[in-house]
Protein backbone atom coordinates (compact mmCIF):
# COMPACT_ATOMS: atom_id res chain seq x y z
CA UNK A 1 0.00 0.00 0.00
CA UNK A 2 2.85 2.37 0.80
CA UNK A 3 4.32 1.77 -2.64
CA UNK A 4 0.96 2.51 -4.26
CA UNK A 5 0.57 5.70 -2.27
CA UNK A 6 4.10 6.76 -3.22
CA UNK A 7 3.37 6.23 -6.91
CA UNK A 8 0.10 8.12 -6.73
CA UNK A 9 1.71 10.95 -4.77
CA UNK A 10 4.53 11.17 -7.31
CA UNK A 11 2.03 11.56 -10.12
CA UNK A 12 0.29 14.35 -8.18
CA UNK A 13 3.50 16.14 -7.18
CA UNK A 14 5.15 15.64 -10.55
CA UNK A 15 2.38 15.59 -13.14
CA UNK A 16 4.94 15.91 -15.91
CA UNK A 17 6.25 12.43 -15.16
CA UNK A 18 2.77 11.02 -15.61
CA UNK A 19 2.30 13.06 -18.81
CA UNK A 20 5.42 11.48 -20.26
CA UNK A 21 3.72 8.10 -20.07
CA UNK A 22 1.53 7.33 -23.06
CA UNK A 23 -2.25 6.87 -22.99
CA UNK A 24 -3.00 5.87 -19.45
CA UNK A 25 0.24 4.01 -18.78
CA UNK A 26 0.46 5.71 -15.38
CA UNK A 27 -2.98 4.36 -14.52
CA UNK A 28 -2.05 0.87 -15.77
CA UNK A 29 1.15 1.02 -13.73
CA UNK A 30 -0.83 1.88 -10.60
CA UNK A 31 -3.29 -0.94 -11.34
CA UNK A 32 -0.44 -3.42 -11.76
CA UNK A 33 1.21 -2.27 -8.53
CA UNK A 34 -2.11 -2.61 -6.72
CA UNK A 35 -2.60 -6.13 -8.06
CA UNK A 36 0.94 -7.09 -7.05
CA UNK A 37 0.47 -5.73 -3.52
CA UNK A 38 -2.77 -7.68 -3.13
CA UNK A 39 -1.23 -10.96 -4.34
CA UNK A 40 2.24 -10.94 -2.76
CA UNK A 41 1.40 -14.03 -0.69
CA UNK A 42 0.66 -16.05 -3.82
CA UNK A 43 3.75 -18.10 -4.71
CA UNK A 44 2.55 -18.20 -8.33
CA UNK A 45 2.70 -14.39 -8.64
CA UNK A 46 4.85 -13.54 -11.64
CA UNK A 47 4.87 -11.37 -14.75
CA UNK A 48 2.44 -13.64 -16.59
CA UNK A 49 -0.08 -13.59 -13.74
CA UNK A 50 0.03 -9.78 -13.50
CA UNK A 51 -0.24 -9.39 -17.27
CA UNK A 52 -3.20 -11.78 -17.40
CA UNK A 53 -4.97 -9.88 -14.61
CA UNK A 54 -4.37 -6.65 -16.53
CA UNK A 55 -5.68 -8.19 -19.77
CA UNK A 56 -2.45 -7.51 -21.59
CA UNK A 57 0.54 -9.44 -22.80
CA UNK A 58 3.71 -9.71 -20.74
CA UNK A 59 5.43 -7.59 -23.36
CA UNK A 60 2.83 -4.82 -22.95
CA UNK A 61 3.23 -5.00 -19.17
CA UNK A 62 6.99 -4.63 -19.50
CA UNK A 63 6.40 -1.53 -21.62
CA UNK A 64 4.23 -0.06 -18.86
CA UNK A 65 7.01 -0.71 -16.34
CA UNK A 66 9.62 0.78 -18.67
CA UNK A 67 8.49 4.16 -17.28
CA UNK A 68 9.10 2.94 -13.74
CA UNK A 69 12.37 2.67 -11.86
CA UNK A 70 12.20 -1.16 -11.82
CA UNK A 71 10.83 -4.13 -13.69
CA UNK A 72 7.73 -6.12 -12.77
CA UNK A 73 9.83 -8.93 -11.32
CA UNK A 74 12.01 -6.54 -9.37
CA UNK A 75 8.93 -4.91 -7.84
CA UNK A 76 7.49 -8.28 -6.83
CA UNK A 77 10.70 -9.44 -5.17
CA UNK A 78 11.42 -6.09 -3.51
CA UNK A 79 7.93 -5.94 -2.02
CA UNK A 80 8.14 -9.55 -0.83
CA UNK A 81 11.53 -8.93 0.72
CA UNK A 82 10.26 -5.79 2.46
CA UNK A 83 7.27 -7.62 3.91
CA UNK A 84 9.43 -10.51 5.10
CA UNK A 85 11.78 -7.96 6.68
CA UNK A 86 8.86 -6.39 8.55
CA UNK A 87 7.67 -9.77 9.80
CA UNK A 88 11.14 -10.78 11.00
CA UNK A 89 10.95 -7.82 13.40
CA UNK A 90 7.34 -8.31 14.51
CA UNK A 91 7.14 -9.40 18.14
CA UNK A 92 3.90 -11.25 17.42
CA UNK A 93 5.66 -13.45 14.84
CA UNK A 94 8.74 -14.43 16.84
CA UNK A 95 7.38 -17.98 17.01
CA UNK A 96 7.69 -18.34 13.24
CA UNK A 97 10.98 -19.51 11.82
CA UNK A 98 12.84 -17.46 9.22
CA UNK A 99 11.96 -20.16 6.68
CA UNK A 100 8.26 -19.89 7.54
CA UNK A 101 8.34 -16.13 7.05
CA UNK A 102 10.22 -16.48 3.77
CA UNK A 103 7.69 -19.03 2.56
CA UNK A 104 4.75 -16.79 3.58
CA UNK A 105 6.07 -14.16 1.18
CA UNK A 106 6.61 -16.41 -1.82
CA UNK A 107 10.24 -17.45 -1.36
CA UNK A 108 10.21 -21.19 -2.03
CA UNK A 109 13.96 -21.46 -1.46
CA UNK A 110 15.27 -20.30 1.91
CA UNK A 111 18.82 -19.99 0.53
CA UNK A 112 17.59 -17.60 -2.17
CA UNK A 113 15.75 -15.60 0.47
CA UNK A 114 18.85 -15.43 2.66
CA UNK A 115 21.02 -14.23 -0.25
CA UNK A 116 18.49 -11.58 -1.29
CA UNK A 117 18.03 -10.45 2.31
CA UNK A 118 21.77 -10.19 2.90
CA UNK A 119 22.22 -8.21 -0.33
CA UNK A 120 19.52 -5.75 0.71
CA UNK A 121 20.04 -5.46 4.48
CA UNK A 122 23.69 -6.46 4.95
CA UNK A 123 23.07 -9.42 7.28
CA UNK A 124 21.58 -12.88 7.05
CA UNK A 125 17.92 -12.90 8.13
CA UNK A 126 18.64 -14.91 11.29
CA UNK A 127 21.46 -12.55 12.28
CA UNK A 128 19.31 -9.51 11.58
CA UNK A 129 16.39 -10.87 13.58
CA UNK A 130 18.62 -11.82 16.52
CA UNK A 131 20.41 -8.47 16.52
CA UNK A 132 17.18 -6.45 16.34
CA UNK A 133 15.26 -8.47 18.93
CA UNK A 134 18.16 -8.38 21.39
CA UNK A 135 18.51 -4.61 20.92
CA UNK A 136 14.85 -3.85 21.70
CA UNK A 137 13.30 -5.10 24.95
CA UNK A 138 9.91 -6.79 24.36
CA UNK A 139 8.04 -4.16 26.44
CA UNK A 140 9.08 -1.39 24.02
CA UNK A 141 7.89 -3.06 20.82
Amino acid sequence: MAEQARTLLQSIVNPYAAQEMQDGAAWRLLQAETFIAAHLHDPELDVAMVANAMNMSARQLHRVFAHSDRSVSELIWECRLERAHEELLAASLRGLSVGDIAHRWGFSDQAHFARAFRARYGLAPTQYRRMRTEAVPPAQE
Side-chain angles (χ1 to χ4, degrees):
M1 293 300 226
E3 186 65 29
Q4 297 165 17
R6 182 187 65 80
T7 302
L8 186 56
L9 187 57
Q10 279 180 333
S11 67
I12 293 168
V13 172
N14 186 4
Y16 301 108
Q19 289 174 358
E20 290 175 8
M21 300 175 93
Q22 299 174 350
D23 300 338
W27 176 246
R28 289 192 301 266
L29 179 62
L30 184 58
Q31 287 177 309
E33 289 174 343
T34 302
F35 180 84
I36 290 167
H39 294 86
L40 279 176
H41 279 291
D42 188 341
E44 302 297 316
L45 180 64
D46 63 4
V47 174
M49 183 179 188
V50 177
N52 187 45
M54 302 283 300
N55 293 318
M56 61 176 59
S57 70
R59 185 178 179 131
Q60 288 172 310
L61 182 63
H62 284 298
R63 282 190 204 128
V64 169
F65 272 80
H67 300 286
S68 177
D69 57 346
R70 59 189 157 216
S71 71
V72 182
S73 297
E74 288 170 341
L75 176 63
I76 291 169
W77 288 113
E78 285 178 19
C79 289
R80 285 179 166 171
L81 193 58
E82 187 176 306
R83 298 287 167 70
H85 170 257
E86 292 168 3
E87 287 193 357
L88 283 171
L89 299 179
S92 62
L93 298 176
R94 284 190 183 161
L96 288 178
S97 71
V98 170
D100 290 340
I101 290 173
H103 189 269
R104 284 168 50 104
W105 291 106
F107 290 91
S108 58
D109 179 6
Q110 191 172 349
H112 173 250
F113 170 69
R115 282 189 304 273
F117 192 94
R118 183 184 297 271
R120 172 96 182 255
Y121 297 103
L123 291 171
T126 52
Q127 293 171 320
Y128 187 82
R129 186 183 221 184
R130 190 176 319 115
M131 180 187 77
R132 297 290 294 173
T133 55
E134 289 172 358
V136 179
Q140 293 181 3
E141 292 179 343

